[in-house]
Amino acid sequence: MLLSLPCCRLILGVPLSLTTLILSFFSETAQATEWIQYPPSGTATLTHYTLPQGYIASCGCTGASTQYPTAAMSQYAFGSSTAYGPACGRCFKITLLNTYLPNPPFFPNVTKSVVVKVTDLCPAGGNGWCSATPGKPNQGGQYINFDLAWPSPSIPDDFFPSNAALYGFTDFGVWNVSYQSVDCLQNWAGAKNPAALGSVDDGSSVCCPANPTGSANDTCPSFSDDNGIPPDTASAAASSAVGARGGASLPATLLLYSLLVSSFLCSSFLSG
């Protein structure tokens, strides 16, 4: 985009001050990512992963939190592409509904629920279960995936019901679940242990409220938004989104260079 001197107008002839143009440029490139806004209760998919005891995950919750039920949350619902996000520290009651992958689906004849605290981020890569974006659900048709830390000393080994005689295996891998946001201090098993609450104090970027309510006073901000870090995803669609939402693309960088050069030339012209 070329600028003319000395009036510093766009070549199309529309008057626009250089200062306004530069501010508009930075405003556009610093836009926050559009995260998934989910209701307090609904449905989701549930997977599970191994989290070592005492491990400090993305939110920076204390190592003692791993002694109790915890989960990672899919990136666009978590609210950050790295470190901490608004989901950190939140508690959800998750209830198993039915399995997703086997055919026919397995519907348990018992109700199994667990209250988890979100301590970790599940990255949105490719078409995985944590890949949902505001405009596209995951392969199970859901916009949220909880990745349960399991096996866990706080969750029974037989938490996931099965029918090995029919299916030939006991771990179905993916479940359809219902979720409900709950008060951590009243419902999470680790709430009575002060060592399991809050964040580690090691000078790193951490945020793990004991009982976040959604208020700015007790809920984590988005680390990636605050630091201009784009969504972390390997999909082609997300790669294009990075150019739109996160740092400056090459054409945008050239535009900024053009603006700065034009600013210098305008200043020299006016002072001369």
Side-chain angles (χ1 to χ4, degrees):
M1 186 180 297
L2 299 177
L3 297 172
S4 59
L5 298 172
C7 58
C8 297
R9 298 185 180 196
L10 296 177
I11 196 170
L12 295 178
V14 180
L16 183 65
S17 74
L18 188 60
T19 300
T20 302
L21 193 57
I22 292 176
L23 290 176
S24 174
F25 171 84
F26 279 110
S27 173
E28 194 66 28
T29 56
Q31 275 188 339
T33 300
E34 181 186 0
W35 305 109
I36 291 175
Q37 304 299 317
Y38 51 88
S41 61
T43 56
T45 50
L46 176 73
T47 50
H48 63 80
Y49 76 120
T50 300
L51 184 69
Q53 286 295 294
Y55 186 79
I56 308 301
S58 292
C59 297
C61 303
T62 66
S65 65
T66 60
Q67 300 171 17
Y68 305 96
T70 65
M73 199 172 192
S74 48
Q75 179 176 299
Y76 278 85
F78 182 84
S80 180
S81 60
T82 187
Y84 54 78
C88 285
R90 294 195 64 182
C91 291
F92 296 89
K93 180 180 180 180
I94 296 175
T95 302
L96 303 179
L97 298 178
N98 62 276
T99 57
Y100 176 80
L101 295 173
N103 187 18
F106 173 62
F107 290 85
N109 56 12
V110 293
T111 301
K112 293 291 189 75
S113 299
V114 62
V115 174
V116 300
K117 189 176 186 69
V118 175
T119 63
D120 204 359
L121 159 68
C122 185
N127 294 314
W129 291 101
C130 292
S131 65
T133 67
K136 178 183 73 68
N138 64 19
Q139 56 188 297
Q142 301 291 345
Y143 287 89
I144 300 175
N145 184 76
F146 293 98
D147 203 12
L148 182 68
W150 185 85
S152 165
S154 61
I155 303 175
D157 291 340
D158 62 352
F159 173 72
F160 291 103
S162 62
N163 187 338
L166 176 62
Y167 295 97
F169 52 85
T170 58
D171 187 356
F172 292 106
V174 185
W175 285 78
N176 291 315
V177 299
S178 63
Y179 73 87
Q180 180 181 3
S181 179
V182 297
D183 183 288
C184 291
L185 298 182
Q186 295 181 10
N187 296 275
W188 185 53
K192 296 180 180 180
N193 180 1
L197 299 174
S199 313
V200 294
D201 184 15
D202 62 358
S204 59
S205 299
V206 296
C207 183
C208 185
N211 192 33
T213 64
S215 165
N217 294 326
D218 61 18
T219 302
C220 301
S222 170
F223 181 87
S224 58
D225 279 356
D226 285 353
N227 291 275
I229 302 172
D232 179 18
T233 170
S235 68
S239 295
S240 63
V242 170
R245 296 180 183 142
S249 60
L250 180 58
T253 304
L254 293 176
L255 173 60
L256 178 58
Y257 177 76
S258 174
L259 292 174
L260 294 175
V261 171
S262 299
S263 176
F264 173 76
L265 293 176
C266 282
S267 299
S268 299
F269 180 90
L270 294 175
S271 61

